[in-house]
PDB file of all heavy atoms in Angstrom:
ATOM      1  N   GLN V   1     -17.587   4.978  11.322  1.00  0.00           N
ATOM      2  CA  GLN V   1     -16.380   5.736  11.627  1.00  0.00           C
ATOM      3  C   GLN V   1     -15.260   4.813  12.112  1.00  0.00           C
ATOM      4  O   GLN V   1     -14.098   4.979  11.710  1.00  0.00           O
ATOM      5  CB  GLN V   1     -16.670   6.795  12.685  1.00  0.00           C
ATOM      6  CG  GLN V   1     -15.551   7.807  12.852  1.00  0.00           C
ATOM      7  CD  GLN V   1     -16.028   9.065  13.560  1.00  0.00           C
ATOM      8  OE1 GLN V   1     -17.198   9.223  13.859  1.00  0.00           O
ATOM      9  NE2 GLN V   1     -15.111   9.974  13.811  1.00  0.00           N
ATOM     10  N   LYS V   2     -15.613   3.837  12.942  1.00  0.00           N
ATOM     11  CA  LYS V   2     -14.618   2.909  13.470  1.00  0.00           C
ATOM     12  C   LYS V   2     -13.944   2.123  12.349  1.00  0.00           C
ATOM     13  O   LYS V   2     -12.712   2.070  12.251  1.00  0.00           O
ATOM     14  CB  LYS V   2     -15.288   1.949  14.462  1.00  0.00           C
ATOM     15  CG  LYS V   2     -14.363   0.843  14.973  1.00  0.00           C
ATOM     16  CD  LYS V   2     -15.126  -0.125  15.862  1.00  0.00           C
ATOM     17  CE  LYS V   2     -14.239  -1.296  16.266  1.00  0.00           C
ATOM     18  NZ  LYS V   2     -14.980  -2.283  17.114  1.00  0.00           N
ATOM     19  N   PHE V   3     -14.762   1.495  11.507  1.00  0.00           N
ATOM     20  CA  PHE V   3     -14.200   0.694  10.423  1.00  0.00           C
ATOM     21  C   PHE V   3     -13.646   1.579   9.303  1.00  0.00           C
ATOM     22  O   PHE V   3     -12.775   1.146   8.546  1.00  0.00           O
ATOM     23  CB  PHE V   3     -15.245  -0.284   9.887  1.00  0.00           C
ATOM     24  CG  PHE V   3     -15.483  -1.454  10.797  1.00  0.00           C
ATOM     25  CD1 PHE V   3     -16.495  -1.423  11.739  1.00  0.00           C
ATOM     26  CD2 PHE V   3     -14.673  -2.572  10.743  1.00  0.00           C
ATOM     27  CE1 PHE V   3     -16.712  -2.490  12.593  1.00  0.00           C
ATOM     28  CE2 PHE V   3     -14.874  -3.647  11.596  1.00  0.00           C
ATOM     29  CZ  PHE V   3     -15.898  -3.616  12.529  1.00  0.00           C
ATOM     30  N   GLY V   4     -14.167   2.802   9.214  1.00  0.00           N
ATOM     31  CA  GLY V   4     -13.620   3.741   8.246  1.00  0.00           C
ATOM     32  C   GLY V   4     -12.188   4.113   8.571  1.00  0.00           C
ATOM     33  O   GLY V   4     -11.341   4.246   7.674  1.00  0.00           O
ATOM     34  N   LEU V   5     -11.878   4.263   9.865  1.00  0.00           N
ATOM     35  CA  LEU V   5     -10.513   4.547  10.289  1.00  0.00           C
ATOM     36  C   LEU V   5      -9.578   3.401   9.920  1.00  0.00           C
ATOM     37  O   LEU V   5      -8.465   3.610   9.434  1.00  0.00           O
ATOM     38  CB  LEU V   5     -10.472   4.784  11.803  1.00  0.00           C
ATOM     39  CG  LEU V   5     -10.894   6.164  12.300  1.00  0.00           C
ATOM     40  CD1 LEU V   5     -11.050   6.167  13.810  1.00  0.00           C
ATOM     41  CD2 LEU V   5      -9.874   7.212  11.870  1.00  0.00           C
ATOM     42  N   ARG V   6     -10.053   2.177  10.157  1.00  0.00           N
ATOM     43  CA  ARG V   6      -9.246   0.999   9.813  1.00  0.00           C
ATOM     44  C   ARG V   6      -9.031   0.912   8.311  1.00  0.00           C
ATOM     45  O   ARG V   6      -7.932   0.604   7.838  1.00  0.00           O
ATOM     46  CB  ARG V   6      -9.930  -0.264  10.337  1.00  0.00           C
ATOM     47  CG  ARG V   6      -9.832  -0.401  11.841  1.00  0.00           C
ATOM     48  CD  ARG V   6     -10.689  -1.498  12.419  1.00  0.00           C
ATOM     49  NE  ARG V   6     -10.573  -2.764  11.706  1.00  0.00           N
ATOM     50  CZ  ARG V   6     -11.166  -3.892  12.122  1.00  0.00           C
ATOM     51  NH1 ARG V   6     -11.903  -3.876  13.231  1.00  0.00           N
ATOM     52  NH2 ARG V   6     -11.032  -5.005  11.441  1.00  0.00           N
ATOM     53  N   LYS V   7     -10.076   1.207   7.556  1.00  0.00           N
ATOM     54  CA  LYS V   7      -9.963   1.149   6.093  1.00  0.00           C
ATOM     55  C   LYS V   7      -8.981   2.204   5.592  1.00  0.00           C
ATOM     56  O   LYS V   7      -8.204   1.951   4.659  1.00  0.00           O
ATOM     57  CB  LYS V   7     -11.339   1.346   5.453  1.00  0.00           C
ATOM     58  CG  LYS V   7     -11.337   1.196   3.943  1.00  0.00           C
ATOM     59  CD  LYS V   7     -12.730   1.389   3.363  1.00  0.00           C
ATOM     60  CE  LYS V   7     -12.713   1.302   1.839  1.00  0.00           C
ATOM     61  NZ  LYS V   7     -14.056   1.521   1.254  1.00  0.00           N
ATOM     62  N   ARG V   8      -9.004   3.388   6.199  1.00  0.00           N
ATOM     63  CA  ARG V   8      -8.080   4.448   5.806  1.00  0.00           C
ATOM     64  C   ARG V   8      -6.633   4.011   6.011  1.00  0.00           C
ATOM     65  O   ARG V   8      -5.774   4.236   5.144  1.00  0.00           O
ATOM     66  CB  ARG V   8      -8.324   5.699   6.645  1.00  0.00           C
ATOM     67  CG  ARG V   8      -9.415   6.608   6.143  1.00  0.00           C
ATOM     68  CD  ARG V   8      -9.507   7.819   7.049  1.00  0.00           C
ATOM     69  NE  ARG V   8      -8.186   8.350   7.308  1.00  0.00           N
ATOM     70  CZ  ARG V   8      -7.526   9.148   6.475  1.00  0.00           C
ATOM     71  NH1 ARG V   8      -8.087   9.511   5.352  1.00  0.00           N
ATOM     72  NH2 ARG V   8      -6.321   9.578   6.773  1.00  0.00           N
ATOM     73  N   ALA V   9      -6.368   3.407   7.163  1.00  0.00           N
ATOM     74  CA  ALA V   9      -5.004   2.957   7.458  1.00  0.00           C
ATOM     75  C   ALA V   9      -4.538   1.916   6.446  1.00  0.00           C
ATOM     76  O   ALA V   9      -3.395   1.953   5.970  1.00  0.00           O
ATOM     77  CB  ALA V   9      -4.935   2.398   8.880  1.00  0.00           C
ATOM     78  N   VAL V  10      -5.428   0.992   6.119  1.00  0.00           N
ATOM     79  CA  VAL V  10      -5.087  -0.056   5.154  1.00  0.00           C
ATOM     80  C   VAL V  10      -4.891   0.544   3.767  1.00  0.00           C
ATOM     81  O   VAL V  10      -3.986   0.140   3.027  1.00  0.00           O
ATOM     82  CB  VAL V  10      -6.186  -1.149   5.121  1.00  0.00           C
ATOM     83  CG1 VAL V  10      -5.923  -2.151   4.006  1.00  0.00           C
ATOM     84  CG2 VAL V  10      -6.235  -1.875   6.462  1.00  0.00           C
ATOM     85  N   LEU V  11      -5.724   1.528   3.402  1.00  0.00           N
ATOM     86  CA  LEU V  11      -5.592   2.172   2.098  1.00  0.00           C
ATOM     87  C   LEU V  11      -4.245   2.878   1.970  1.00  0.00           C
ATOM     88  O   LEU V  11      -3.600   2.827   0.915  1.00  0.00           O
ATOM     89  CB  LEU V  11      -6.735   3.168   1.880  1.00  0.00           C
ATOM     90  CG  LEU V  11      -6.726   3.940   0.551  1.00  0.00           C
ATOM     91  CD1 LEU V  11      -6.763   2.978  -0.631  1.00  0.00           C
ATOM     92  CD2 LEU V  11      -7.903   4.909   0.486  1.00  0.00           C
ATOM     93  N   SER V  12      -3.810   3.545   3.042  1.00  0.00           N
ATOM     94  CA  SER V  12      -2.494   4.195   3.027  1.00  0.00           C
ATOM     95  C   SER V  12      -1.398   3.172   2.784  1.00  0.00           C
ATOM     96  O   SER V  12      -0.450   3.416   2.030  1.00  0.00           O
ATOM     97  CB  SER V  12      -2.243   4.921   4.354  1.00  0.00           C
ATOM     98  OG  SER V  12      -3.145   5.986   4.528  1.00  0.00           O
ATOM     99  N   ASP V  13      -1.540   2.010   3.433  1.00  0.00           N
ATOM    100  CA  ASP V  13      -0.550   0.943   3.250  1.00  0.00           C
ATOM    101  C   ASP V  13      -0.575   0.419   1.817  1.00  0.00           C
ATOM    102  O   ASP V  13       0.469   0.137   1.234  1.00  0.00           O
ATOM    103  CB  ASP V  13      -0.832  -0.198   4.236  1.00  0.00           C
ATOM    104  CG  ASP V  13       0.230  -1.286   4.172  1.00  0.00           C
ATOM    105  OD1 ASP V  13       1.402  -0.980   4.481  1.00  0.00           O
ATOM    106  OD2 ASP V  13      -0.118  -2.427   3.801  1.00  0.00           O
ATOM    107  N   VAL V  14      -1.764   0.289   1.235  1.00  0.00           N
ATOM    108  CA  VAL V  14      -1.882  -0.172  -0.155  1.00  0.00           C
ATOM    109  C   VAL V  14      -1.151   0.790  -1.091  1.00  0.00           C
ATOM    110  O   VAL V  14      -0.386   0.361  -1.966  1.00  0.00           O
ATOM    111  CB  VAL V  14      -3.370  -0.298  -0.573  1.00  0.00           C
ATOM    112  CG1 VAL V  14      -3.484  -0.485  -2.086  1.00  0.00           C
ATOM    113  CG2 VAL V  14      -4.025  -1.475   0.132  1.00  0.00           C
ATOM    114  N   ILE V  15      -1.385   2.090  -0.913  1.00  0.00           N
ATOM    115  CA  ILE V  15      -0.731   3.085  -1.778  1.00  0.00           C
ATOM    116  C   ILE V  15       0.780   3.012  -1.623  1.00  0.00           C
ATOM    117  O   ILE V  15       1.527   3.054  -2.613  1.00  0.00           O
ATOM    118  CB  ILE V  15      -1.244   4.500  -1.442  1.00  0.00           C
ATOM    119  CG1 ILE V  15      -2.742   4.619  -1.757  1.00  0.00           C
ATOM    120  CG2 ILE V  15      -0.466   5.549  -2.229  1.00  0.00           C
ATOM    121  CD1 ILE V  15      -3.369   5.902  -1.285  1.00  0.00           C
ATOM    122  N   SER V  16       1.255   2.869  -0.377  1.00  0.00           N
ATOM    123  CA  SER V  16       2.699   2.763  -0.135  1.00  0.00           C
ATOM    124  C   SER V  16       3.283   1.534  -0.824  1.00  0.00           C
ATOM    125  O   SER V  16       4.355   1.588  -1.437  1.00  0.00           O
ATOM    126  CB  SER V  16       2.986   2.692   1.370  1.00  0.00           C
ATOM    127  OG  SER V  16       2.654   3.897   2.010  1.00  0.00           O
ATOM    128  N   ARG V  17       2.564   0.403  -0.731  1.00  0.00           N
ATOM    129  CA  ARG V  17       3.057  -0.842  -1.339  1.00  0.00           C
ATOM    130  C   ARG V  17       3.067  -0.743  -2.861  1.00  0.00           C
ATOM    131  O   ARG V  17       3.965  -1.258  -3.518  1.00  0.00           O
ATOM    132  CB  ARG V  17       2.200  -2.022  -0.895  1.00  0.00           C
ATOM    133  CG  ARG V  17       2.184  -2.324   0.597  1.00  0.00           C
ATOM    134  CD  ARG V  17       3.496  -2.919   1.106  1.00  0.00           C
ATOM    135  NE  ARG V  17       4.533  -1.917   1.262  1.00  0.00           N
ATOM    136  CZ  ARG V  17       4.614  -1.045   2.274  1.00  0.00           C
ATOM    137  NH1 ARG V  17       3.685  -1.058   3.223  1.00  0.00           N
ATOM    138  NH2 ARG V  17       5.582  -0.186   2.343  1.00  0.00           N
ATOM    139  N   VAL V  18       2.058  -0.088  -3.424  1.00  0.00           N
ATOM    140  CA  VAL V  18       2.009   0.074  -4.887  1.00  0.00           C
ATOM    141  C   VAL V  18       3.184   0.926  -5.362  1.00  0.00           C
ATOM    142  O   VAL V  18       3.865   0.574  -6.336  1.00  0.00           O
ATOM    143  CB  VAL V  18       0.669   0.709  -5.328  1.00  0.00           C
ATOM    144  CG1 VAL V  18       0.733   1.105  -6.803  1.00  0.00           C
ATOM    145  CG2 VAL V  18      -0.484  -0.263  -5.106  1.00  0.00           C
ATOM    146  N   ILE V  19       3.428   2.049  -4.667  1.00  0.00           N
ATOM    147  CA  ILE V  19       4.559   2.909  -5.028  1.00  0.00           C
ATOM    148  C   ILE V  19       5.870   2.157  -4.850  1.00  0.00           C
ATOM    149  O   ILE V  19       6.782   2.245  -5.687  1.00  0.00           O
ATOM    150  CB  ILE V  19       4.530   4.196  -4.186  1.00  0.00           C
ATOM    151  CG1 ILE V  19       3.294   5.032  -4.541  1.00  0.00           C
ATOM    152  CG2 ILE V  19       5.801   5.020  -4.405  1.00  0.00           C
ATOM    153  CD1 ILE V  19       3.085   6.231  -3.651  1.00  0.00           C
ATOM    154  N   GLU V  20       5.973   1.415  -3.771  1.00  0.00           N
ATOM    155  CA  GLU V  20       7.169   0.609  -3.504  1.00  0.00           C
ATOM    156  C   GLU V  20       7.391  -0.398  -4.625  1.00  0.00           C
ATOM    157  O   GLU V  20       8.516  -0.587  -5.104  1.00  0.00           O
ATOM    158  CB  GLU V  20       6.996  -0.112  -2.168  1.00  0.00           C
ATOM    159  CG  GLU V  20       8.137  -1.042  -1.788  1.00  0.00           C
ATOM    160  CD  GLU V  20       7.841  -1.776  -0.494  1.00  0.00           C
ATOM    161  OE1 GLU V  20       6.898  -2.602  -0.485  1.00  0.00           O
ATOM    162  OE2 GLU V  20       8.550  -1.529   0.491  1.00  0.00           O
ATOM    163  N   TYR V  21       6.312  -1.028  -5.069  1.00  0.00           N
ATOM    164  CA  TYR V  21       6.398  -2.046  -6.121  1.00  0.00           C
ATOM    165  C   TYR V  21       6.845  -1.417  -7.440  1.00  0.00           C
ATOM    166  O   TYR V  21       7.708  -1.961  -8.146  1.00  0.00           O
ATOM    167  CB  TYR V  21       5.038  -2.724  -6.289  1.00  0.00           C
ATOM    168  CG  TYR V  21       5.034  -3.888  -7.262  1.00  0.00           C
ATOM    169  CD1 TYR V  21       5.550  -5.130  -6.882  1.00  0.00           C
ATOM    170  CD2 TYR V  21       4.519  -3.746  -8.543  1.00  0.00           C
ATOM    171  CE1 TYR V  21       5.537  -6.194  -7.754  1.00  0.00           C
ATOM    172  CE2 TYR V  21       4.501  -4.809  -9.426  1.00  0.00           C
ATOM    173  CZ  TYR V  21       5.016  -6.035  -9.035  1.00  0.00           C
ATOM    174  OH  TYR V  21       5.017  -7.086  -9.908  1.00  0.00           O
ATOM    175  N   ILE V  22       6.278  -0.259  -7.779  1.00  0.00           N
ATOM    176  CA  ILE V  22       6.629   0.414  -9.042  1.00  0.00           C
ATOM    177  C   ILE V  22       8.083   0.868  -9.014  1.00  0.00           C
ATOM    178  O   ILE V  22       8.836   0.658  -9.980  1.00  0.00           O
ATOM    179  CB  ILE V  22       5.691   1.620  -9.287  1.00  0.00           C
ATOM    180  CG1 ILE V  22       4.260   1.127  -9.544  1.00  0.00           C
ATOM    181  CG2 ILE V  22       6.182   2.447 -10.473  1.00  0.00           C
ATOM    182  CD1 ILE V  22       3.228   2.230  -9.575  1.00  0.00           C
ATOM    183  N   ASN V  23       8.506   1.489  -7.895  1.00  0.00           N
ATOM    184  CA  ASN V  23       9.873   2.001  -7.810  1.00  0.00           C
ATOM    185  C   ASN V  23      10.911   0.886  -7.787  1.00  0.00           C
ATOM    186  O   ASN V  23      12.026   1.061  -8.276  1.00  0.00           O
ATOM    187  CB  ASN V  23      10.038   2.872  -6.558  1.00  0.00           C
ATOM    188  CG  ASN V  23       9.300   4.193  -6.672  1.00  0.00           C
ATOM    189  OD1 ASN V  23       8.996   4.648  -7.772  1.00  0.00           O
ATOM    190  ND2 ASN V  23       9.006   4.822  -5.553  1.00  0.00           N
ATOM    191  N   GLY V  24      10.547  -0.257  -7.217  1.00  0.00           N
ATOM    192  CA  GLY V  24      11.523  -1.344  -7.075  1.00  0.00           C
ATOM    193  C   GLY V  24      11.292  -2.505  -8.011  1.00  0.00           C
ATOM    194  O   GLY V  24      11.784  -3.605  -7.765  1.00  0.00           O
ATOM    195  N   VAL V  25      10.553  -2.269  -9.110  1.00  0.00           N
ATOM    196  CA  VAL V  25      10.160  -3.388  -9.976  1.00  0.00           C
ATOM    197  C   VAL V  25      11.372  -4.107 -10.564  1.00  0.00           C
ATOM    198  O   VAL V  25      11.336  -5.333 -10.756  1.00  0.00           O
ATOM    199  CB  VAL V  25       9.204  -2.892 -11.090  1.00  0.00           C
ATOM    200  CG1 VAL V  25       9.922  -1.983 -12.073  1.00  0.00           C
ATOM    201  CG2 VAL V  25       8.542  -4.062 -11.804  1.00  0.00           C
ATOM    202  N   LYS V  26      12.467  -3.382 -10.831  1.00  0.00           N
ATOM    203  CA  LYS V  26      13.652  -4.045 -11.381  1.00  0.00           C
ATOM    204  C   LYS V  26      14.239  -5.038 -10.381  1.00  0.00           C
ATOM    205  O   LYS V  26      14.641  -6.149 -10.754  1.00  0.00           O
ATOM    206  CB  LYS V  26      14.696  -2.997 -11.765  1.00  0.00           C
ATOM    207  CG  LYS V  26      14.337  -2.201 -13.023  1.00  0.00           C
ATOM    208  CD  LYS V  26      15.509  -1.391 -13.524  1.00  0.00           C
ATOM    209  CE  LYS V  26      15.843  -0.255 -12.590  1.00  0.00           C
ATOM    210  NZ  LYS V  26      16.887   0.647 -13.141  1.00  0.00           N
ATOM    211  N   VAL V  27      14.282  -4.634  -9.122  1.00  0.00           N
ATOM    212  CA  VAL V  27      14.796  -5.533  -8.078  1.00  0.00           C
ATOM    213  C   VAL V  27      13.887  -6.745  -7.918  1.00  0.00           C
ATOM    214  O   VAL V  27      14.355  -7.890  -7.828  1.00  0.00           O
ATOM    215  CB  VAL V  27      14.920  -4.784  -6.732  1.00  0.00           C
ATOM    216  CG1 VAL V  27      15.346  -5.733  -5.619  1.00  0.00           C
ATOM    217  CG2 VAL V  27      15.910  -3.641  -6.865  1.00  0.00           C
ATOM    218  N   PHE V  28      12.568  -6.494  -7.911  1.00  0.00           N
ATOM    219  CA  PHE V  28      11.629  -7.600  -7.729  1.00  0.00           C
ATOM    220  C   PHE V  28      11.673  -8.582  -8.896  1.00  0.00           C
ATOM    221  O   PHE V  28      11.539  -9.786  -8.720  1.00  0.00           O
ATOM    222  CB  PHE V  28      10.206  -7.057  -7.537  1.00  0.00           C
ATOM    223  CG  PHE V  28      10.085  -6.102  -6.384  1.00  0.00           C
ATOM    224  CD1 PHE V  28       9.374  -4.918  -6.503  1.00  0.00           C
ATOM    225  CD2 PHE V  28      10.704  -6.367  -5.181  1.00  0.00           C
ATOM    226  CE1 PHE V  28       9.280  -4.029  -5.449  1.00  0.00           C
ATOM    227  CE2 PHE V  28      10.608  -5.491  -4.111  1.00  0.00           C
ATOM    228  CZ  PHE V  28       9.904  -4.319  -4.245  1.00  0.00           C
ATOM    229  N   LYS V  29      11.876  -8.053 -10.114  1.00  0.00           N
ATOM    230  CA  LYS V  29      12.014  -8.922 -11.275  1.00  0.00           C
ATOM    231  C   LYS V  29      13.261  -9.787 -11.149  1.00  0.00           C
ATOM    232  O   LYS V  29      13.248 -10.987 -11.439  1.00  0.00           O
ATOM    233  CB  LYS V  29      12.082  -8.080 -12.560  1.00  0.00           C
ATOM    234  CG  LYS V  29      10.737  -7.709 -13.160  1.00  0.00           C
ATOM    235  CD  LYS V  29      10.942  -6.909 -14.432  1.00  0.00           C
ATOM    236  CE  LYS V  29       9.618  -6.712 -15.164  1.00  0.00           C
ATOM    237  NZ  LYS V  29       9.139  -7.977 -15.755  1.00  0.00           N
ATOM    238  N   ALA V  30      14.344  -9.143 -10.698  1.00  0.00           N
ATOM    239  CA  ALA V  30      15.611  -9.862 -10.580  1.00  0.00           C
ATOM    240  C   ALA V  30      15.520 -11.026  -9.600  1.00  0.00           C
ATOM    241  O   ALA V  30      16.185 -12.054  -9.764  1.00  0.00           O
ATOM    242  CB  ALA V  30      16.722  -8.896 -10.161  1.00  0.00           C
TER     243      ALA V  30
END
């Protein structure tokens, strides 16, 4: 449960970063 909570938080961050990367791919390419 302890490490599961930490993994959940990191997973949320991963999803946010992936969405951020997809939405801003033109800027990142530039």
Side-chain angles (χ1 to χ4, degrees):
Q1 192 162 356
K2 174 184 175 181
F3 285 93
L5 280 169
R6 287 170 47 174
K7 184 179 177 181
R8 275 182 46 81
V10 173
L11 179 58
S12 295
D13 185 63
V14 168
I15 296 172
S16 293
R17 298 288 77 77
V18 170
I19 294 173
E20 177 184 66
Y21 185 77
I22 293 171
N23 289 339
V25 68
K26 287 192 291 187
V27 176
F28 303 136
K29 274 181 171 289

